[in-house]
Amino acid sequence: MAFSKLYDSAQAAVADIPDGATVLIGGVTGVNAPAGLLNALADRDVRGLTCVCDSNYYGAKAFHRLVAAGCVSRIISPAPFGPGEADIIQDLWRSGDLTVEVVPWGTLAERMRSAGAGIGGVFLPVGIGTRFAEGKEVRVINGVECLYEPPLRGDFALIRASRADGVGNLVYAGAQRGWNSAVVSAARVAIAEVDQVVETGSIDPELVITPGIFVNRIARASSVPIG
């Protein structure tokens, strides 16, 4: 029997994500999120998750469901909720039941990229003179003040892709790619929700964006209703 990373369902793919895990979520969660995996995780009695993700509004139903189920204790995001919008994330943050850490998009991507590259963080000229600089090391590099940003590692990564073969080589459609390359490299276990699983070796290598070496598990998008 040929080796395959394909799991029978999204539930099986996320079954061992424990309480307190750090979960890196690829894509813009209202557009190309791994909604099936997020719904499957919300169905479990997991608690205390730290979720790292992009914008969580404009239709991010699956992620909001995960938060509403009480699974998430902390969110790290460039834009955890929309301006002027009332939603579950904003309500829980205002009540003190949810910790929200706002990190600029590029800074967050670089922190995950440095974790995936195995380096000790990055110095960035972003946030100088703002609250984002509080407590951080500052160095002058080529005459420019830069803040030290530590690598950001995850226990699990959840991403969405268009196609995968049995060993996890991924092809994305349109905006699905997002920051998935940083997300999967920074996580100990990467799980991809895909629309189509094809025979291993049938994907043109020139089309592969995320090589299978970075992907541990695959689940078909149809395994769990997406909403």
Side-chain angles (χ1 to χ4, degrees):
M1 181 177 180
F3 172 78
S4 176
K5 298 177 181 178
L6 179 63
Y7 277 59
D8 292 335
S9 65
Q11 293 97 326
V14 302
D16 61 343
I17 296 181
D19 292 351
T22 295
V23 181
L24 313 179
I25 302 170
V28 179
T29 55
V31 180
N32 46 42
L37 296 174
L38 292 171
N39 280 324
L41 191 55
D43 289 336
R44 297 188 48 223
D45 190 26
V46 63
R47 291 292 182 267
L49 297 178
T50 292
C51 290
V52 180
C53 49
D54 201 345
S55 305
N56 288 316
Y57 45 96
Y58 302 138
K61 295 180 181 179
F63 186 78
H64 285 177
R65 180 169 176 249
L66 185 70
V67 174
C71 301
V72 182
S73 63
R74 184 184 184 204
I75 296 173
I76 303 175
S77 172
F81 44 78
E85 291 187 0
D87 61 25
I88 185 64
I89 296 174
Q90 185 174 155
D91 291 343
L92 290 174
W93 171 65
R94 291 187 182 279
S95 68
D97 295 316
L98 179 67
T99 298
V100 171
E101 180 182 349
V102 177
V103 179
W105 201 100
T107 300
L108 196 54
E110 281 298 291
R111 289 182 62 189
M112 289 190 289
R113 186 194 63 80
S114 65
I119 60 178
V122 290
F123 281 91
L124 301 174
V126 178
I128 294 292
T130 72
R131 62 186 178 86
F132 293 107
E134 295 176 3
K136 295 180 180 178
E137 179 184 354
V138 179
R139 290 188 184 180
V140 177
I141 301 174
N142 294 328
V144 178
E145 286 189 316
C146 297
L147 295 180
Y148 170 72
E149 298 288 351
L152 179 57
R153 297 180 176 86
D155 300 303
F156 292 84
L158 307 180
I159 65 172
R160 180 71 182 269
S162 175
R163 278 187 292 155
D165 63 16
V167 296
N169 294 308
L170 302 181
V171 176
Y172 301 112
Q176 280 183 343
R177 180 174 179 176
W179 58 6
N180 285 347
S181 59
V183 168
V184 297
S185 66
R188 181 175 56 84
V189 176
I191 308 172
E193 176 184 345
V194 299
D195 299 316
Q196 182 184 21
V197 180
V198 299
E199 184 179 352
T200 298
S202 64
I203 298 177
D204 183 346
E206 296 294 332
L207 300 179
V208 173
I209 302 299
T210 297
I213 193 171
F214 290 109
V215 180
N216 302 92
R217 304 171 189 174
I218 307 162
R220 288 188 176 88
S222 60
S223 299
V224 170
I226 296 176

